[in-house]
Amino acid sequence: MDVARIDALRARPVAPGSHIIDGAPRPASDGAVMDVVSPIDGQVLTTVPRGTADDAAAAVAAARAAFHDGRWSDLPPAARKAVLLRWADLIEANALELAVLGVRDNGTEIAMAMKAEPMSAAAAIRFYAEAIDKLYGEIAPTGPGNLGLVHREPVGVVGAIVPWNFPLMIGAWKLGPALAAGNTVVLKPAETASLTLLRIAELALEAGMPPGVLNVVTGEGAVVGAAIAESMDVDVLVFTGSGATGRRLLEASARSNLKRVYLELGGKSPNVVFADAPDLDEAAKVSAYGIFRNSGQVCVAGSRLLVERSIHDAFVEKLAAVARQMKVGDPLDPATGAGAVNSERQLAQNLQFVEEARAAGRRIALGGGRILEETGGYYMAPTIVAGVAPDDRLAREEVFGPVLAVIPFDTEEEATALANATDYGLAAAVWTADLSRAHRMVRRIKAGIVHVNTYGGSDLTVPLGGVKQSGNGHDKSLHAFDKYLDLKTAWFKL
Ligand code: ADP
């Protein structure tokens, strides 16, 4: 990575942001702004509009008008594809700028941010762009007197509310299929990660996306997000974030127009290591990365380590050794393995979990506290808590920080029961050389993805979605289109 260029970019002042509504930059209706605080040093980076309910309504109206007149939805799929491919190219051409801007905003280490943010956003937009002129409708197998056609039509106006951990990647997982399918979108970034999404909305216009097709409104979840959720004119609401907000969105849908709501709500994902894992050093390394990269702020993070008792102490020590080697600190240093925690509030929440565990007598095997406080930034040491009881809050609730809860087990049966002893069901992993056991565990663990002899890998070709209280609906893969396309039957009497 070009360190000199990164240093030049990090020193660049960041102009105050604006909403993008109907293809133009707009301030909040009352002119209010909110500070963007960089988690790198706790300093104010710039401001973005503190959006109002009126701003959200203006964006929804722009999206509705754009959908209604067909400026996007009536384009031949290949024409939408051409715009989206140009957009992906522009995102890629500006990848380092976007990555550095995003890191200054949200604190993710640059090595990960570069790959996971602009590069994977561009890849996701391309994937759906490439797919859209290859999706066919259906002819139903009716009798000779009838013809049944099944059309797939864009649903209309999509509201997308996204989080701060990977704003571009998660944003693109939603924008890619929603826009390729011909919908228009109102996007609401998280309070602490708006800047890159505003920037890619500008790039979309540059790529030739008509005004009003992609609108971005910044501001508080409880104001802008709630207004989108309550809108009578949003047809589909897609969301990644906390369970508490997810519940509010379902209520808002019920109170308003019964818009479809698709939720991705995080997890408390079990990473199950058997003594017969093919390579325990590899398992320790990948498991450490699986919880500590991006300071644990990853929805699929392997935050519950279940280890067979016979290898428990040795494995925890191996994992701790990997974590000790990980450089924690300045997220704009390409050698950094874990950057800053996104906000002061998140850091306080992480530390609270550790304090509770300490008070309950659990063993802090590594880390446990804030570090680098002198920088003014929000950094936390990779933390391993051993001897966690299955009923502890740390074993059940998502921390969304670099805190690993370790629980020993004796049998496969017990490991399965512990793995499933959670309200969540997003991700999991099983490390074993026993193929039959691996398949049994894949079947028995309730989760949207079960990794075998790895943690955290996947690509765009496979769906990501949760079961139980991790949510519904899937991002990624062709299945993601289902959220953004209605089925319509045409029935002919011949
Ligand atoms: P976290 O606690 O990790 O920040 P949230 O669920 O609060 O998770 O945030 C995820 C996204 O949801 C953000 O864009 C945030 O602004 C938005 N949000 C928060 N509260 C609400 C709400 N009441 N209604 C709609 N959106 C909300």
Side-chain angles (χ1 to χ4, degrees), residues 6 42 224 365 419:
I6 292 173
V224 176

Side-chain angles (χ1 to χ4, degrees), residues 28 52 68 89-90 92 141 145 170 184 191 210 225 284 303 314 350 379 432 445:
T52 62
H68 186 72
D89 288 347
L90 284 172
E92 212 167 274
I170 294 173
T184 58
E191 290 83 333
S303 53
N350 299 347
Y379 299 94
T432 178
I445 293 178

Side-chain angles (χ1 to χ4, degrees), residues 161-164 188-191 219-222 225-226 229 239-242 245 248-249 345-346 400:
I161 301 178
V162 297
W164 43 259
K188 148 80 181 87
E191 290 83 333
E220 288 168 26
F239 171 75
T240 299
S242 65
T245 302
R248 286 196 193 99
L249 301 184
R345 183 182 69 115
Q346 183 65 46
F400 219 60

Side-chain angles (χ1 to χ4, degrees), residues 135-140 147-154 485-492:
L135 293 183
Y136 290 76
E138 295 165 14
I139 299 175
L147 173 64
L149 303 179
V150 183
H151 295 255
R152 302 177 91 193
E153 298 184 336
L485 288 165
D486 270 331
L487 296 180
K488 178 191 276 175
T489 298
W491 187 255
F492 290 73

